[in-house]
Amino acid sequence: MTGLEPSTTALDWTEDGAQRSAHWHSENQSAAPTQVTVISDDITADAAYRLARSGAGLLWRGDYHNGRQLLQAMDRRVKRHSARRGAGKHGGGGGSGAGAFEAQRRSIADRARLLGALIVELDDGYQLNLRRAPDVRLACEAAYGPSTGPMCVSLTELNGVLSAYQWQLKGVAIPDLGEDIHPRYGVFSPIRGEYVDLVAQTPFPESVTGNSSAPETAFDLGTGTGVLAAVLLRRGVERVVATDINPRAVTCAQENLEHLGLAESAEVVEADLFPQGRADLIVCNPPWLPARPTSALEAGIYDPDSDVLHRFIEGLVAHLSPAGEGWLILSDLAEHLGLRTREALLERITAAGLRVHDRHDTAPRHPRASDTEDELHRARGAEVTSLWRLRLSN
């Protein structure tokens, strides 16, 4: 739901006595390294880790699988360093508040920076010229579009591109649809099924039609893969307008709705939240944690100052039909972390000229909710995802 452009600039280095150059591409907006060291199979993990900590970019020219193993070995060193630092500062205890959240975000950012130092070059046409390298051309074209020349990316980003392409081909099963949704790279995947279940099971507002039948029009804000738009259409909504600020999401949602045979009843629009007009039902699953995202994918989770949440609440009055409902799907994890209060949320709803008609709750089922090794496990264990049914006050 936030427009975040990847970092693209030139990367220059010296190799075999010659000056080389390629485009630098980073989805998490990392700047191109100013110092590049060409490395191969003979480097040790300790040496690579030290170079990464010094700020150098490590251009990998060795065997592809050895490069992946080096990345894993560097990750183990990052985790050991993080564990020692955490034990020194916090005595080894877990936390659950804003301080623990900020510490985890810093640790994640530090890990991303260090592992992102290991980079590879993709030749024109996304050819990866490393020994035993897979054919990455189709995956890269699906993620980045047509090649515009040689490009350097981090190996972690390339791994993400390859993994996302497999999900795009395979799809994610959506029980409420009885079919698969195919996420694209850079689009939040509907693997947390509880929010889909809430939209599939919550009764439609009686006051829209007088008999709880499906509303005529609905908006799906921040549609992502289009999964909620598809659920609404399958439930009988006559027309859905789905919006997203991420161009990849717009393409992805359109593809999924076409694949499901629902495209004729849906319009997918690139927009910053609301489309033009009014609707009987407006659904939004905003990012649930007030923090700065580092990529378009993270924008599905992190929202600076809860901006999207606030704009959704404040914009409902201007876009709801008189008897319509706004469905706000929101995790309360931010409340357990001390990043937002329930009182502030309710006050904002009231100040916007809305009232809470009802609320439906569900417990998250994702693995991190029961992961006791997660620094935020106490807060995650108490997390509840809710669908708030909001109506106009008058």
Side-chain angles (χ1 to χ4, degrees):
M1 295 183 185
T2 300
L4 291 172
E5 295 297 326
S7 175
T8 54
T9 185
L11 179 65
D12 303 307
W13 72 95
T14 301
E15 185 173 0
D16 297 329
Q19 286 295 117
R20 297 285 305 278
S21 180
H23 294 297
W24 168 254
H25 185 98
S26 172
E27 291 288 327
N28 65 8
Q29 301 180 308
S30 297
T34 56
Q35 175 188 350
V36 176
T37 301
V38 179
I39 62 172
S40 190
D41 301 299
D42 57 349
I43 195 169
T44 66
D46 286 334
Y49 179 66
R50 286 194 298 270
L51 284 168
R53 291 210 72 87
S54 74
L58 311 178
L59 179 57
W60 182 250
R61 293 302 196 194
D63 178 89
Y64 171 76
H65 293 284
N66 289 348
R68 287 173 61 95
Q69 290 176 356
L70 175 62
L71 191 65
Q72 293 170 359
M74 292 173 63
D75 194 18
R76 290 193 292 271
R77 284 155 177 79
V78 171
K79 290 176 180 176
R80 284 201 296 266
H81 177 80
S82 179
R84 288 195 298 269
R85 184 173 57 186
K89 288 184 177 181
H90 307 296
S96 59
F101 172 73
E102 294 299 333
Q104 186 183 73
R105 290 288 287 161
R106 287 193 297 270
S107 178
I108 291 172
D110 189 52
R111 176 177 179 267
R113 178 181 64 83
L114 292 171
L115 298 186
L118 186 59
I119 62 180
V120 295
E121 183 182 13
L122 300 169
D123 290 348
D124 192 18
Y126 300 122
Q127 182 71 42
L128 180 60
N129 289 317
L130 299 176
R131 292 188 307 277
R132 294 198 294 166
D135 188 344
V136 304
R137 290 174 295 178
L138 291 178
C140 288
E141 188 165 341
Y144 302 133
S147 172
T148 57
M151 182 173 84
C152 285
V153 298
S154 71
L155 184 54
T156 53
E157 179 169 315
L158 180 60
N159 288 342
V161 166
L162 296 176
S163 177
Y165 188 59
Q166 291 305 308
W167 280 113
Q168 182 178 339
L169 295 177
K170 178 183 176 182
V172 177
I174 307 296
D176 292 304
L177 288 174
E179 297 190 59
D180 295 341
I181 285 287
H182 296 263
R184 274 183 165 266
Y185 178 73
V187 180
F188 197 71
S189 178
I191 53 176
R192 287 190 58 160
E194 59 266 17
Y195 75 94
V196 181
D197 294 343
L198 285 168
V199 172
Q201 297 165 11
T202 297
F204 285 132
E206 292 182 3
S207 54
V208 169
T209 60
N211 57 3
S212 294
S213 62
E216 291 184 3
T217 58
F219 294 163
D220 173 25
L221 311 184
T223 191
T225 61
V227 62
L228 296 185
V231 168
L232 292 172
L233 288 167
R234 283 286 173 85
R235 290 191 62 187
V237 175
E238 293 184 19
R239 180 175 178 272
V240 173
V241 179
T243 70
D244 208 294
I245 196 173
N246 180 358
R248 284 174 172 153
V250 172
T251 299
C252 183
Q254 188 66 51
E255 289 175 346
N256 280 310
L257 291 167
E258 289 174 358
H259 170 73
L260 295 168
L262 300 170
E264 290 187 2
S265 301
E267 180 183 2
V268 185
V269 179
E270 184 175 338
D272 186 6
L273 213 57
F274 288 95
Q276 295 294 321
R278 294 179 180 268
D280 301 320
L281 178 65
I282 303 179
V283 178
C284 185
N285 177 32
W288 55 89
L289 290 173
R292 187 181 71 84
T294 61
S295 66
L297 183 61
E298 275 205 346
I301 306 170
Y302 301 106
D303 177 23
D305 301 319
S306 298
D307 175 67
V308 175
L309 169 64
H310 296 164
R311 287 192 293 119
F312 169 70
I313 293 172
E314 291 159 5
L316 277 177
V317 170
H319 292 278
L320 270 179
S321 61
E325 279 191 3
W327 285 4
L328 169 63
I329 306 140
L330 191 65
S331 159
D332 67 353
L333 181 59
E335 297 176 19
H336 295 293
L337 293 171
L339 304 174
R340 181 171 57 236
T341 67
R342 178 62 56 91
E343 292 74 19
L345 175 64
L346 293 174
E347 288 173 4
R348 188 170 290 272
I349 289 171
T350 301
L354 303 166
R355 61 182 175 85
V356 177
H357 171 69
D358 202 354
R359 194 184 80 223
H360 303 263
D361 299 333
T362 187
R365 302 187 299 269
H366 58 88
R368 296 186 74 179
S370 56
D371 182 5
T372 57
E373 295 185 3
D374 189 320
E375 297 94 327
L376 307 179
H377 67 269
R378 284 182 240 169
R380 294 193 190 279
E383 181 184 6
V384 172
T385 300
S386 302
L387 187 153
W388 297 78
R389 300 176 63 180
L390 307 179
R391 294 186 178 182
L392 303 178
S393 295
N394 46 28

